[in-house]
């Protein structure tokens, strides 16, 4: 079924084909992302007004929206044109006033003739002890009262669209919603007591109180599940396609791994051991591995990665480890070198800096199998780079690496296993949404011997004390980072801030003690400045956020983050992770400019109170929402209209296992439920995914 199913045609027609939607309204709705009748179905009300009738306004807790039947009394026009026009009315027990500003008296005489019975509904408030309903929302003769719902849904609006227009457009769209075959697993649907799709829509648009507006209301939960299901089906289809590409069975002997483990000064954590076992099992299987290794700062990903690379070498193949920047690639090389020496494997690096004969010699060695493990930047992607037998590709720092690069890498080693590493802890809900096509290994414990980092908040007014603290630390032979803020998007301004701070610290601490790195420097100058700091030649490194990922200087025990309140939580956590890597006690000072906003205060106190990256990521998610957390543009995260990624992680997990199970039983979606699932993908605009279903 490569074309849209016919029952869905009316939902994908032009908006103007709906009753009451003209070109102007259609343009206004498009501002809200509503472009087709189907979009109106998922534009759910955010609150509800109770318009049930009562006999009298007397005894009601005011202010409140009330609906009563009244007898119309006298009209009082204002003395000045700008004054209020008042109509006295009587309900079953008391009198009150209807108040209108900028009124047209002839119109009001027509709508509210004295002596007539009318039903009025609107907000009633007390002014000088008199109950008033200012500009009633509804004025109807009693025989037309049926037109007003007892509970009126309130929709999010945009300029040029009123509640009335929106409600009418939604009603017209609902009238077009067809009965669709059920795509949810019947057992799941019964267990959750969810209505069918069409009934769920009708109920979600007709809430009868606040309970019906909650994400847990059966109708809303079902519609959220549909969105998750479509998204997870798409990821599962991508995953199935990847797995159909035949992998290689890579069986390690354990001999090289044993050498490394014998020479370690500590035992690997249970989490590290478990991750290596999961990776080894994937590599032994005939399918291609597609796994994410997720670990907090300092959880020991490097060891896990190297043991995985050794499995490839033990099986007679090669491994490659790729980093997003040259600095990081060189650092991986430094980190892996001692392990490689112990294991007796040939380790080499390839970056854009390799030129001429050196580069040629490396390429020959690589193609002939003279290099076991290659570390590199994306230079590894270049056309002339060929491996003798690539078994495992490890990609560091996932978010700089889209799905497209993952596929590109797959072409290098036609059937190489892929392991992606990220040091950004991601809450479970987001990792399901973003990496649902991958299997996930978590490193959720710290290796023994990692020192806790003491974190303190210090006002910039006490800047001089911080400089004194640094002076003493440097005298004791310790090292420190001083991170300058990215004040504006312009790097030129940041540069001035960084150079200014560098000048002031150099004046305070002495020539040759302070180094500087920033994004505008040529790569070789940046590397040279980093190298001087790593070797201990400079004691304090002033930097913009270029040092966020990966730099490893065990002797650095102080991290000063200037204007910490303008950094994001995850970024602060990454920066703090640059210290606490050696045996010395470490400190992180969050320099902030008072007064702090509520959200800035929450970010800084969260960081001060915990080092658990997953806890920090969860708070970050609650504060910023999913889209901002990973930048929706590059996150591949769909825009859910009903579902809430942050709050409905458990629902997403059920959708993931359901989608995977459905495809395991029915890989080409041919059964009745499979066909229904295809309709769901079309309905949710995920029909691209259907192209991933291979023929036969």
């Amino acid at each position: 079924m490569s074309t849209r199913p016919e029952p869905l045609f009316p939902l994908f027609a032009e908006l103007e084909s709906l009753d009451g939607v003209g070109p102007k309204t259609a343009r206004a709705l498009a501002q809200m992302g509503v472009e087709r009748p189907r979009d109106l179905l998922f534009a759910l009300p955010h609150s509800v007004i109770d318009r049930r009738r009562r006999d009298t306004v007397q005894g009601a807790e005011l202010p409140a929206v009330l609906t009563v039947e009244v007898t119309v009394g006298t009209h009082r026009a204002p003395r000045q044109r700008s004054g209020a026009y008042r109509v006295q009315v009587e309900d079953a027990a008391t009198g009150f006033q209807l108040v209108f500003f900028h009124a047209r008296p002839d119109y009001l005489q027509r709508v509210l003739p004295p002596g007539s019975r009318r039903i009025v509904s609107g907000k009633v408030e007390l002014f000088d002890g008199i109950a008033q309903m200012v500009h009633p929302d509804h004025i109807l003769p009693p025989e037309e009262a049926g037109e007003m719902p007892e509970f009126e849904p309130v929709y999010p609006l945009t300029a040029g669209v009123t509640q009335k227009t929106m409600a009418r457009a939604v009603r017209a769209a609902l009238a077009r919603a067809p009965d669709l075959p059920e795509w949810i697993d019947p057992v799941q649907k019964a267990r959750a007591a969810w209505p069918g799709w069409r009934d769920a829509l009708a109920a979600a648009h007709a809430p009868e109180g606040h309970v019906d507006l909650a994400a847990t209301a059966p109708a809303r939960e079902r519609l959220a599940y549909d969105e998750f299901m479509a998204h997870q089906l798409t990821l599962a289809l991508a995953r199935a396609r990847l797995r159909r590409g035949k992998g290689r069975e890579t069986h390690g002997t354990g001999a090289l791994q044993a050498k490394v483990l014998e020479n370690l000064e500590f035992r690997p954590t249970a989490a590290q051991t478990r991750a290596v076992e999961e990776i080894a099992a994937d590599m032994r299987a005939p399918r291609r591995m597609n796994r994410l290794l997720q670990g907090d700062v300092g959880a020991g990903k490097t060891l896990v990665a190297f043991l995985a690379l050794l499995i490839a070498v033990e099986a007679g193949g090669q491994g490659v480890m790729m980093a997003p920047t040259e600095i990081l690639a060189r650092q991986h090389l430094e980190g892996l070198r001692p392990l490689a020496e112990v294991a007796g494997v040939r380790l080499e690096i390839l970056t854009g800096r390799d030129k001429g004969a050196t580069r040629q010699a490396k390429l020959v060695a690589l193609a002939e199998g003279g290099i076991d493990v290659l570390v590199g930047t994306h230079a590894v992607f270049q056309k002339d780079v060929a491996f003798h037998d690539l078994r495992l590709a490890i990609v560091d720092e996932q978010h700089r690496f889209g799905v497209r690069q993952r596929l590109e890498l797959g072409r290098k080693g036609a059937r190489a296993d892929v392991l992606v590493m990220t040091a950004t802890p991601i809450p479970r809900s987001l990792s399901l949404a973003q990496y649902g096509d991958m299997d996930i290994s978590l490193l959720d414990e710290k290796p023994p011997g990692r020192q806790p980092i003491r974190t303190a908040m210090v006002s910039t007014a006490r800047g001089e004390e911080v400089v004194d603290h640094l002076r003493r630390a440097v005298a004791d032979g310790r090292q420190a980072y001083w991170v300058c803020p990215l004040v504006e998007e312009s790097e030129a301004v940041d540069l001035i801030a960084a150079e200014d701070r560098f000048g002031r610290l150099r004046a305070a601490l002495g020539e040759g003690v302070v180094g500087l790195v920033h994004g505008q420097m040529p790569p070789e100058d940046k590397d040279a400045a980093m190298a001087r700091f790593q070797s201990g030649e400079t004691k304090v490194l002033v930097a913009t956020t270029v040092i966020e990922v990966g730099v490893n200087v065990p002797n650095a025990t102080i991290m000063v983050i200037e204007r910490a309140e303008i950094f994001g939580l995850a970024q602060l956590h990454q920066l703090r992770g640059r210290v606490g890597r050696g045996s010395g006690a470490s400190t992180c000072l969050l320099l902030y400019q008072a007064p702090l906003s509520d959200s800035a205060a929450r970010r800084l106190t969260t960081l001060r109170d915990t080092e658990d990256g997953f806890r920090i990521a969860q708070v970050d998610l609650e504060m910023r929402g999913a889209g901002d957390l990973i930048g929706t543009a590059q996150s591949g995260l769909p825009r859910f209209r009903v579902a809430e990624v942050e709050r409905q992680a458990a629902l997403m997990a059920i959708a993931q296992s359901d989608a995977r199970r459905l495809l395991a039983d029915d890989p080409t979606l041919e059964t009745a439920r499979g066909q229904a699932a295809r309709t769901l993908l079309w309905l949710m605009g995920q029909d691209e995914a259907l192209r991933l279903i291979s023929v036969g």
Side-chain angles (χ1 to χ4, degrees):
M1 177 164 60
S2 54
T3 53
R4 183 179 289 131
E6 207 167 311
L8 296 182
F9 287 178
L11 296 181
F12 285 84
E14 296 298 319
L15 272 182
E16 290 169 44
S17 64
L18 290 173
D19 184 31
V21 180
K24 204 164 145 199
T25 305
R27 279 197 299 277
L29 285 169
Q31 296 295 310
M32 293 168 58
V34 173
E35 291 168 359
R36 303 261 175 234
R38 111 181 233 292
D39 301 334
L40 282 166
L41 299 180
F42 300 117
L44 299 186
H46 59 69
S47 63
V48 62
I49 299 170
D50 182 347
R51 298 227 187 253
R52 285 177 296 184
R53 265 180 38 207
R54 39 186 300 149
D55 295 333
T56 175
V57 299
Q58 203 170 6
E61 268 193 41
L62 302 182
V65 173
L66 303 176
T67 306
V68 289
E69 187 169 338
V70 297
T71 303
V72 182
T74 52
H75 286 233
R76 262 209 344 268
R79 292 206 181 93
Q80 299 105 332
R81 276 192 58 190
S82 60
Y85 187 106
R86 298 171 191 276
V87 181
Q88 187 65 33
V89 295
E90 297 279 336
D91 64 23
T94 187
F96 63 98
Q97 294 179 344
L98 307 182
V99 180
F100 302 88
F101 293 96
H102 310 296
R104 300 206 313 276
D106 53 338
Y107 166 75
L108 290 175
Q109 288 282 352
R110 200 167 63 246
V111 178
L112 292 161
S116 63
R117 301 285 290 165
R118 288 289 183 267
I119 286 170
V120 292
S121 183
K123 190 177 188 181
V124 179
E125 298 182 76
L126 277 181
F127 282 102
D128 297 334
I130 299 167
Q132 300 187 341
M133 186 184 285
V134 180
H135 287 278
D137 303 324
H138 298 272
I139 302 172
L140 295 166
E143 59 274 14
E144 289 173 25
E147 289 181 17
M148 187 172 61
E150 288 200 332
F151 295 94
E152 186 176 353
V154 181
Y155 290 97
L157 298 177
T158 181
V161 181
T162 62
Q163 285 297 342
K164 220 167 184 172
T165 312
M166 187 72 178
R168 188 172 169 189
V170 167
R171 271 200 306 277
L174 280 170
R176 292 190 178 187
D179 257 331
L180 294 175
E182 187 54 79
W183 45 76
I184 295 180
D185 172 48
V187 179
Q188 169 60 28
K189 187 177 167 217
R191 189 186 310 130
W194 286 334
W197 179 69
R198 201 167 156 203
D199 292 342
L201 283 174
H205 283 283
E208 293 199 349
H210 293 285
V211 169
D212 294 344
L213 296 167
T216 48
R220 286 202 173 221
E221 194 174 67
R222 188 242 142 92
L223 295 173
Y225 186 79
D226 291 342
E227 285 190 303
F228 285 151
M229 179 78 181
H231 175 58
Q232 290 296 333
L233 262 175
T234 303
L235 291 173
L237 282 164
R239 168 191 167 91
R241 182 180 196 177
L242 193 94
R243 295 188 144 205
R244 276 201 305 277
K246 278 281 177 278
R248 310 261 305 273
E249 291 187 25
T250 298
H251 294 268
T253 60
L256 298 177
Q257 297 171 70
K259 282 187 187 171
V260 169
L261 292 170
E262 277 159 25
N263 278 277
L264 288 179
E265 289 161 20
F266 53 85
R267 303 222 345 242
T269 63
Q272 285 175 310
T273 308
R274 184 179 64 230
V276 173
E277 283 166 3
E278 288 168 346
I279 292 164
D282 277 0
M283 292 177 73
R284 283 194 298 272
R287 292 187 306 263
R288 280 178 63 184
M289 168 165 77
N290 188 27
R291 185 170 283 280
L292 177 71
L293 176 64
Q294 205 188 343
D296 200 353
V297 178
K301 287 183 299 296
T302 309
L303 177 63
V304 172
F306 191 65
L307 293 174
L309 290 165
L310 290 182
I311 297 173
V313 180
E314 287 169 355
Q318 295 166 299
V320 62
M321 183 159 180
M322 302 188 32
T325 64
E326 177 120 5
I327 290 184
L328 264 182
R330 296 208 171 274
Q331 196 160 308
H332 279 315
L333 186 72
E334 298 309 314
L336 297 180
R337 190 170 273 143
L339 299 173
E341 280 166 8
V342 167
V345 302
R346 294 160 298 182
L347 179 70
E348 196 46 89
I349 186 167
L350 182 68
T351 70
R353 209 187 288 180
D354 291 305
K355 300 275 189 291
T358 343
R359 179 180 161 87
Q360 205 42 50
K362 287 183 184 181
L363 293 182
V364 170
L366 200 60
E368 290 175 353
I371 295 172
D372 298 314
V373 174
L374 181 70
V375 175
T377 54
H378 51 276
V380 172
F381 281 147
Q382 287 160 352
K383 293 280 184 289
D384 57 350
V385 180
F387 290 83
H388 175 65
D389 179 11
L390 178 61
R391 295 294 186 97
L392 175 64
I394 298 183
V395 180
D396 189 13
E397 280 306 316
Q398 163 65 9
H399 51 261
R400 319 239 166 124
F401 237 86
V403 176
R404 206 180 72 249
Q405 284 96 330
R406 299 217 281 262
L407 292 172
E408 181 72 38
L409 198 59
R411 290 190 195 102
K412 282 280 170 215
R415 298 176 302 184
D417 286 319
V418 177
L419 178 69
V420 172
M421 296 201 305
T422 172
T424 315
I426 307 164
R428 175 158 174 258
S429 54
L430 270 191
S431 55
L432 281 173
Q434 207 185 353
Y435 305 118
D437 59 325
M438 305 180 87
D439 296 301
I440 298 181
S441 290
L442 273 188
L443 295 181
D444 46 13
E445 31 185 323
K446 291 256 164 74
R450 286 284 305 211
Q451 296 290 324
I453 302 169
R454 193 178 79 80
T455 303
M457 291 164 62
V458 182
S459 157
T460 41
R462 293 169 52 201
E464 288 310 309
E465 292 174 41
V466 175
V467 176
D468 289 341
H469 178 66
L470 280 189
R471 195 178 285 115
R472 289 194 298 274
V474 167
D476 288 347
R478 292 189 294 155
Q479 287 176 276
Y481 295 99
W482 187 299
V483 177
C484 293
L486 284 161
V487 182
E488 295 180 27
E489 287 305 303
S490 111
E491 286 190 1
V493 179
D494 304 328
L495 190 54
I496 296 166
E499 289 185 329
D500 176 48
R501 175 56 64 195
F502 170 64
R504 279 156 57 187
L505 285 175
R506 197 172 50 179
L509 304 174
E511 288 286 332
V513 176
V514 188
L516 171 69
V517 287
H518 56 73
Q520 298 271 330
M521 286 174 142
E524 40 280 12
D525 294 1
K526 209 184 301 184
D527 287 357
M530 293 297 299
R532 281 197 297 277
F533 185 62
Q534 267 166 325
S535 68
E537 190 185 323
T538 49
K539 301 297 180 197
V540 177
L541 185 65
V542 174
T544 52
T545 50
V546 289
I547 62 151
E548 184 181 339
V549 185
V551 228
N552 195 19
V553 182
N555 190 43
T557 56
I558 299 170
M559 166 63 74
V560 179
I561 304 174
E562 191 173 348
R563 293 297 306 277
E565 76 276 9
I566 59 182
F567 288 91
L569 241 182
Q571 203 176 22
L572 288 168
H573 179 58
Q574 289 290 331
L575 287 167
R576 173 170 65 181
R578 300 297 112 229
V579 296
R581 294 175 161 250
S583 51
S586 292
T587 314
C588 173
L589 300 177
L590 305 173
L591 278 186
Y592 67 89
Q593 193 167 313
L596 283 176
S597 69
D598 290 349
S599 62
R602 186 174 174 200
R603 283 200 300 277
L604 299 187
T605 51
T606 299
L607 198 79
R608 183 192 64 197
D609 298 342
T610 180
E611 276 191 71
D612 176 351
F614 287 93
R615 171 84 201 101
I616 287 169
Q618 189 57 47
V619 173
D620 204 9
L621 178 62
E622 286 160 15
M623 288 182 70
R624 290 203 286 162
D628 296 334
L629 202 59
I630 39 188
T632 308
Q634 48 130 348
S635 68
L637 204 63
R639 289 293 199 152
F640 294 124
R641 285 180 181 264
V642 181
E644 297 177 50
V645 176
E646 297 93 304
R647 297 198 182 86
Q648 296 181 301
L651 204 58
M652 172 108 74
I654 298 169
Q656 184 191 56
S657 58
D658 194 8
R660 288 185 176 185
R661 199 168 51 236
L662 174 60
L663 282 176
D665 299 343
D666 180 12
T668 52
L669 298 180
E670 296 302 335
T671 61
R673 189 175 163 220
Q675 294 286 353
R678 286 172 176 249
T679 302
L680 170 68
L681 289 169
W682 279 103
L683 176 68
M684 294 299 178
Q686 300 265 358
D687 41 288
E688 286 277 313
L690 292 168
R691 300 197 190 133
L692 298 172
I693 297 181
S694 70
V695 185

